[in-house]
Amino acid sequence: MFKFGYVGVVGRTNAGKSTLVNSLVGEKVSIVSPKKQTTRQNIMGILTKDNYQLVFVDTPGIHRSKNKLDRFMMKNVRSAIAGVDVVLYIIDGLRYNEEENAYIKTLTDSVPTIVGISKVDAGSYEKIYPIISSLSENRDIKAIIPFSSYKNKNLDEVINEILKILPEQESKNFEFDEDMYTDKSVRFMVGEIIREKALLLLNEELPHGIAINVVKFEEKENLVNIDVEIICEREGHKSIIIGKGGKKIKDIASKARVEIENLIGKKVMLECFVRVRKNWRNIESEIKEVGYVDE
Ligand SMILES: Nc1nc2c(ncn2[C@@H]2O[C@H](COP(=O)(O)OP(=O)(O)O)[C@@H](O)[C@H]2O)c(=O)[nH]1
Ligand SMILES: [Mg+2]
């Protein structure tokens, strides 16, 4: 017997969703950072075993909309929930807020929902019991699982609970090739890796206004030439990204290059340029231009 299903991974920003999807899939599907709103659009992470295939849809965190990019991200969350067989709602084990229960209720009313409590490696169990007891009031939650992606704790349990919900199938109706682990192109992954390094190396406020545009991706026999634009909102930001004597942008590029070479398995020549596009997060055409396109 076989099982196949889509699992929507939702929850507040920074809860640990992308880290969990990467751990479950065993590949880096989605970039991770301590900054809010690191994930901007739905990304599929695909886990295939002999008798099941699970497609995790990693989503941007739930948050209030301030601009058009925010609204694009929330639309992504809603569309992820609409099309899935199971929702995996992630609560940040270090930062639970009872207000989340109401949102979880809207989920359990429409989709089979499992709740995961993240980061148990960093918090104490005394902190987790009250979360579990507060959640237990909602009897429609299929399972409540404290877990740690860092310590690989209870991840099997997460998979088992998902499998319990999915119906058995006579034949292997897997929708994706067995060696595929994401729906995104290499080109997209390249942009995301550069954005991750920029998020890690730039100061707090700046990264939210950044986008990456891969303008050239030229694959030769044993080398790939890649040109990217790092797009920012102001001239002042441009000089911060470039840094003194170009140090910052070199640092971003060299860290990204190592990871891109691992991904592609070839030597990479990477050129990064910085371009200012004023207020791009509020201009529909600009949001599309940098790759955030409604499907
Ligand atoms: N201690 C601990 N921290 C984690 C764990 N998983 C994620 N984090 C951290 O939480 C932050 C947000 O993670 P991320 O996966 O990007 O969250 P997302 O916004 O929900 O996708 C990052 O700084 C991660 O390093 C975990 O299992 N244990
Ligand atoms: Mg994320």
Side-chain angles (χ1 to χ4, degrees), residues 12-19 30-33 35 37-40 58-61:
R12 283 168 53 192
T13 179
N14 261 329
K17 299 178 293 298
S18 297
T19 309
S30 205
I31 62 170
V32 168
S33 93
K35 309 251 159 69
Q37 300 167 25
T38 301
T39 309
R40 281 185 179 157
D58 186 21
T59 63

Side-chain angles (χ1 to χ4, degrees), residues 210-221:
I210 279 181
I212 308 295
N213 195 7
V214 179
V215 289
K216 184 166 98 180
F217 190 94
E218 206 177 68
E219 200 159 355
K220 304 246 170 82
E221 203 175 327

Side-chain angles (χ1 to χ4, degrees), residues 56-290:
F56 296 94
V57 185
D58 186 21
T59 63
I62 298 160
H63 58 273
R64 285 196 192 90
S65 320
K66 289 195 218 86
N67 54 41
K68 284 202 168 118
L69 178 65
D70 284 329
R71 283 194 281 281
F72 168 84
M73 293 194 281
M74 284 309 292
K75 207 168 145 194
N76 265 265
V77 177
R78 282 193 300 273
S79 77
I81 296 165
V84 298
D85 304 292
V86 179
V87 163
L88 182 56
Y89 184 92
I90 306 301
I91 283 180
D92 188 332
L94 305 176
R95 230 176 278 180
Y96 168 64
N97 183 333
E98 281 207 340
E99 283 174 17
E100 288 179 81
N101 292 9
Y103 186 76
I104 294 169
K105 177 82 172 62
T106 65
L107 292 173
T108 53
D109 282 346
S110 55
V111 199
T113 301
I114 294 169
V115 177
I117 304 171
S118 68
K119 310 182 190 178
V120 291
D121 56 280
S124 65
Y125 265 87
E126 278 90 90
K127 258 186 138 169
I128 288 165
Y129 290 133
I131 305 179
I132 296 177
S133 83
S134 166
L135 288 169
S136 302
E137 287 168 22
N138 181 343
R139 303 203 165 267
D140 292 326
I141 298 174
K142 299 286 181 197
I144 302 168
I145 312 162
F147 72 94
S148 162
S149 303
Y150 281 8
K151 294 277 156 71
N152 206 344
K153 199 170 162 34
N154 269 351
L155 300 190
D156 293 352
E157 203 52 36
V158 173
I159 301 281
N160 287 339
E161 291 296 338
I162 294 167
L163 290 174
K164 272 192 209 165
I165 293 169
L166 298 173
E168 300 215 325
Q169 301 180 345
E170 300 272 342
S171 62
K172 219 174 190 175
N173 285 325
F174 295 175
E175 289 187 15
F176 295 90
D177 280 351
E178 305 196 5
D179 55 3
M180 241 178 114
Y181 66 85
T182 182
D183 64 320
K184 298 293 185 210
S185 65
V186 173
R187 203 182 169 116
F188 173 86
M189 302 293 263
V190 164
E192 289 291 276
I193 290 169
I194 295 163
R195 199 160 61 81
E196 180 183 66
K197 302 313 165 200
L199 282 168
L200 293 172
L201 293 169
L202 294 168
N203 70 17
E204 276 302 315
E205 279 313 305
L206 224 165
H208 296 309
I210 279 181
I212 308 295
N213 195 7
V214 179
V215 289
K216 184 166 98 180
F217 190 94
E218 206 177 68
E219 200 159 355
K220 304 246 170 82
E221 203 175 327
N222 41 22
L223 177 91
V224 186
N225 280 312
I226 302 171
D227 291 353
V228 302
E229 285 175 352
I230 300 177
I231 291 154
C232 62
E233 293 180 311
R234 285 192 220 138
E235 287 297 333
H237 292 168
K238 180 172 172 175
S239 47
I240 296 170
I241 296 167
I242 292 171
K244 266 207 185 92
K247 189 175 176 312
K248 189 64 96 186
I249 194 164
K250 270 190 206 136
D251 214 15
I252 293 170
S254 75
K255 287 204 162 62
R257 189 177 48 79
V258 174
E259 215 173 296
I260 297 167
E261 286 183 341
N262 275 332
L263 174 76
I264 302 180
K266 283 185 187 174
K267 201 170 156 39
V268 168
M269 300 286 281
L270 174 65
E271 294 250 34
C272 295
F273 309 92
V274 184
R275 220 173 111 189
V276 180
R277 290 186 177 193
K278 291 204 172 70
N279 201 22
W280 72 266
R281 281 186 291 176
N282 259 316
I283 303 169
E284 201 86 36
S285 59
E286 300 260 328
I287 293 175
K288 288 203 171 115
E289 177 105 18
V290 296

